[in-house]
Amino acid sequence: MKKFELNRSEWLLALTSFYCVISVMMNLLCMKPLSFGTSFIWMDGGLLISWISFLLSNVITEVYGKRTAIVAAGIAAVVSFIVSLIGLLEVYLPTLPEYSDQATHFAHVFSNGPRTIISSSIAFFIGNLINVEIIHGFRKKAVAQGKDNNAKFTFRAIFSTIIGQFVDNGLFQTLAFAPVGFTLYEMRWVDIGTAVVSSTIIETLMESFFVLLVTIPLTRYLQKKV
């Protein structure tokens, strides 16, 4: 019996699908604020998985190229935007009286307003776009010099994540929660700053841990696929 294995195109479909799932879940998990018993470290629940989107972006860029990675990020952003809009619509649809408690809890999770939905989609795409541009630029330079190796791959994966995550977090927190009087729920600038810095540091540390365990092995494996 022939062993079943995914080819490169099928792997791209799988990675892009996972990319979309992560982008949707980030919007849901961000509805729960996280803290570690201190006002200095504050972030939303999307932190648990947001770093995975950059890991996937790095793999796709290395294996399939810059254009494909940008398309994948765009697809994920659009899917996340559509799901958020559908969830918001569901909040305002009528429900049976006996399920009012369930509807209330549902609203707490899916009550992202238009400002938050739009901000999330914009920040996600631009952050991942910058990540792709950086890792592609460093890889192109390393290949041209004939010095592309795991050490350089690790550096560009981590460096691109630092910048991409910072931009993603900064744009989202500012566009969604800046105290400018657009919406009812807004945050102080000091809270926005602590959320951006804390999230970026922790997300970068989490992805850095998995670069050698997942990113590089998966990338090298896919580069050998036909």
Side-chain angles (χ1 to χ4, degrees):
M1 181 181 294
K2 184 178 180 180
K3 185 178 179 181
F4 176 77
E5 289 186 0
L6 299 179
N7 58 37
R8 278 169 62 102
S9 297
E10 292 167 336
W11 265 104
L12 177 59
L13 177 61
L15 292 173
T16 303
S17 299
F18 192 30
Y19 206 163
C20 292
V21 171
I22 293 300
S23 68
V24 171
M25 287 301 299
M26 283 167 54
N27 275 347
L28 300 180
L29 295 177
C30 78
M31 295 305 292
K32 180 175 181 178
L34 299 178
S35 179
F36 297 89
T38 172
S39 60
F40 180 73
I41 301 178
W42 182 95
M43 61 211 68
D44 63 69
L47 166 77
L48 295 178
I49 61 172
S50 58
W51 58 273
I52 300 177
S53 68
F54 285 84
L55 185 155
L56 294 170
S57 177
N58 292 342
V59 173
I60 294 174
T61 304
E62 289 282 334
V63 178
Y64 301 96
K66 172 182 171 181
R67 182 181 183 278
T68 301
I70 293 175
V71 171
I75 293 173
V78 170
V79 169
S80 177
F81 179 77
I82 292 174
V83 171
S84 296
L85 283 182
I86 294 173
L88 181 62
L89 173 62
E90 289 278 359
V91 170
Y92 294 102
L93 292 178
T95 188
L96 294 172
E98 56 265 35
Y99 293 105
S100 59
D101 287 344
Q102 180 177 331
T104 299
H105 294 309
F106 181 90
H108 287 163
V109 177
F110 290 92
S111 60
N112 285 351
R115 179 181 177 184
T116 305
I117 294 173
I118 294 172
S119 300
S120 175
S121 299
I122 292 175
F124 176 85
F125 179 72
I126 294 180
N128 279 269
L129 177 62
I130 290 175
N131 178 74
V132 170
E133 290 286 354
I134 292 175
I135 198 168
H136 173 75
F138 275 106
R139 181 179 187 276
K140 187 177 181 180
K141 182 178 180 180
V143 171
Q145 295 175 342
K147 299 179 180 180
D148 192 22
N149 51 45
N150 287 350
K152 288 187 175 295
F153 186 2
T154 300
F155 169 78
R156 62 177 177 262
I158 295 175
F159 181 76
S160 65
T161 295
I162 294 174
I163 305 302
Q165 289 280 17
F166 183 80
V167 172
D168 185 353
N169 293 324
L171 275 177
F172 173 67
Q173 297 291 341
T174 301
L175 294 175
F177 305 119
V180 292
F182 284 169
T183 51
L184 181 62
Y185 177 66
E186 296 182 339
M187 296 167 55
R188 298 178 302 168
W189 283 113
V190 64
D191 293 329
I192 290 176
T194 56
V196 171
V197 174
S198 299
S199 297
T200 301
I201 292 174
I202 294 178
E203 288 165 332
T204 301
L205 290 175
M206 293 177 73
E207 188 189 342
S208 299
F209 177 77
F210 285 97
V211 167
L212 295 177
L213 295 178
V214 178
T215 308
I216 292 179
L218 180 58
T219 298
R220 299 309 185 204
Y221 170 77
L222 292 178
Q223 287 174 335
K224 296 176 182 178
K225 300 288 288 185
V226 178

